[in-house]
Amino acid sequence: LTAYHPLTENEAVEIARGLKEIIPGDGPLNCREIGDGNLNLVFHITDPASGRSLIIKQALPYAKVVGESMPLTLDRARIESEALKVQEGLAPGLVPKVYHYDPDLALTIMEDLSDHMIMRRGLIEGGHYPLFADHISTFMAQTLFFTSDLGMNQQEKKLRVRDFINPELCKITEDLIFDDPYTVSSSNSFEDAIKDEAAALTTDRELHLEVALLREKFLTQAQALLHGDLHTGSIFITPQSTKVIDPEFGYYGPIGFDIGAVIANLLLNYAAREGWDNSDEAAQSYRESLLHIITEVWNQFDAKFRKLWNEHCMDRIALSTAGYQDDYMLRILRDTIGYAGCKMVRRIVGLAHVADIDKISDAAVRERAQRLSLTIGKTLIKMNREASSIEQVIDTAQAAVASASV
Ligand code: SR1
Ligand code: MG
């Protein structure tokens, strides 16, 4: 069982039996492969006798969403298990517990979170998560501050940057988010109904400059250890609890990239409400609740990050230079807005889409949601370098809905 190969369900059960501290009995175990993401196998193993359960996540040597023609490093399993351990240390209770990592089989055995729901599905179904903004802002403030040059020893940070070099997964992001949507690429995927919009993306020079500048920061700015793919499919949720999963895209990059991912995916759901709510009033009300969450995510992140800075900053210059903190936070806000826009655009015309939009069954409603997402996304990208408040994101989203309804 030790040489790398994709596991069968029976092999996954055998591995689970080795974890006596989690599954103590010897009785029959149930196993189901439940991976519905783009890249990995995920085995859900339960012991009916004790009620105990666990997850075995195994990296495949290619991207499942494309097939074997897109080889992908197994090292992402190491990145993921190490990132989860760093994140558990900094944001306890907000990530699944890691029980075991096996480098040969590229698998991580971790806490089963099936009492939670994937947040993307929860939002589609109209769920309410009053603690989400508090939880995710704590997760981001803690993990991003304490892995940055502000919150850790700067020599150790350089070694941490080395440990989280993640070239292949970063290349996926560089291509799918910052390149393909703005050119004619065989990776792109969009419906005929919006081919005018897709074509316009390839000729919009103002947009191209902004995306190129955001891409440059993604390529070069080792600001903090990012989750790297913090969309609502990477979050398990209940009204009381939030767990961030799947940091296999983790690397040292610009802080706004993670915050932008959260906001983009809330806005994609915002754009999709007409497909999921059964009246205009219900859609309007849910949209308002999403905008409230977005405002809170930023405001609480900003307040928590500044508090950590004021109480725990290890960098003398950052602590003592007047105006530096305000400038730093403004740059994070601007990056957040720019990356949020990029992440909206890529989910409409790029390779990997989101269920919020794609699963809308009515083609005309789906098209409206796609156009709305592109309008919001492009506006955010174009405003990123001048933006100064989260309210501008809210205004952009509201104005896009208002002009789409005229
Ligand atoms: C080929 S992987 C496509 C996408 O899935 C992941 O969740 C990332 O968002 C990636 O861009
Ligand atoms: Mg993922």
Side-chain angles (χ1 to χ4, degrees), residues 42-320:
V42 180
F43 299 94
H44 180 225
I45 295 166
T46 51
D47 175 10
S50 66
R52 304 277 192 96
S53 57
L54 53 77
I55 290 290
I56 299 181
K57 177 171 176 181
Q58 186 183 37
L60 288 166
Y62 54 87
K64 202 167 72 178
V65 66
V66 176
E68 297 189 29
S69 64
M70 187 172 172
L72 206 51
T73 177
L74 297 174
D75 188 49
R76 67 187 194 272
R78 177 190 66 81
I79 297 267
E80 172 162 345
S81 67
E82 288 186 9
L84 283 172
K85 285 181 205 154
V86 171
Q87 291 161 351
E88 170 66 19
L90 296 174
L94 293 172
V95 295
K97 287 190 180 28
V98 172
Y99 301 136
H100 179 66
Y101 163 63
D102 181 329
D104 298 320
L105 288 168
L107 62 81
T108 307
I109 308 182
M110 62 185 114
E111 185 183 1
D112 174 26
L113 297 171
S114 45
D115 56 336
H116 291 56
M117 183 187 271
I118 282 291
M119 186 175 183
R120 189 178 304 290
R121 193 176 132 214
L123 293 177
I124 288 172
E125 293 179 2
H128 286 280
Y129 304 105
L131 300 182
F132 171 70
D134 178 26
H135 290 163
I136 202 70
S137 58
T138 295
F139 173 82
M140 294 190 297
Q142 289 284 129
T143 60
L144 297 170
F145 177 82
F146 283 113
T147 60
S148 76
D149 286 296
L150 302 166
M152 73 182 289
N153 175 288
Q154 293 175 352
Q155 294 304 301
E156 284 170 25
K157 183 233 166 186
K158 289 178 176 65
L159 300 176
R160 184 68 80 64
V161 172
R162 179 197 62 192
D163 293 343
F164 283 96
I165 291 289
N166 196 357
E168 285 189 34
L169 281 280
C170 285
K171 176 78 171 119
I172 290 177
T173 300
E174 290 149 20
D175 290 345
L176 298 193
I177 300 186
F178 300 116
D179 187 357
D180 296 338
Y182 306 97
T183 189
V184 176
S185 164
S186 58
S187 295
N188 286 338
S189 162
F190 49 83
E191 297 193 52
D192 270 355
I194 59 156
K195 65 181 182 210
D196 58 320
E197 283 280 7
L201 287 172
T202 68
T203 57
D204 189 334
R205 302 294 164 224
E206 183 192 349
L207 196 65
H208 292 182
L209 173 60
E210 298 306 323
V211 174
L213 294 170
L214 289 158
R215 171 177 173 272
E216 180 192 305
K217 272 188 227 176
F218 183 87
L219 288 165
T220 60
Q221 192 173 23
Q223 202 171 23
L225 177 60
L226 306 188
H227 176 283
D229 196 24
L230 195 42
H231 56 79
T232 48
S234 295
I235 297 169
F236 267 114
I237 200 149
T238 73
Q240 294 78 33
S241 169
T242 304
K243 305 271 185 183
V244 177
I245 63 167
D246 272 8
E248 66 199 313
F249 283 76
Y251 89 113
Y252 261 83
I255 287 174
F257 190 78
D258 271 1
I259 314 167
V262 173
I263 290 177
N265 282 270
L266 294 169
L267 287 173
L268 286 162
N269 188 272
Y270 172 95
R273 284 330 298 179
E274 204 196 332
W276 301 110
D277 294 311
N278 48 26
S279 70
D280 287 349
E281 292 69 33
Q284 165 74 4
S285 154
Y286 202 78
R287 279 180 169 148
E288 276 166 20
S289 71
L290 289 166
L291 296 184
H292 177 70
I293 296 173
I294 289 169
T295 307
E296 285 299 302
V297 167
W298 171 259
N299 286 341
Q300 292 191 35
F301 170 81
D302 182 70
K304 289 172 188 178
F305 198 94
R306 286 176 189 269
K307 185 163 190 291
L308 292 173
W309 185 318
N310 296 339
E311 292 175 1
H312 299 281
C313 184
M314 296 174 69
D315 185 86
R316 182 186 56 77
I317 295 174
L319 256 185
S320 61

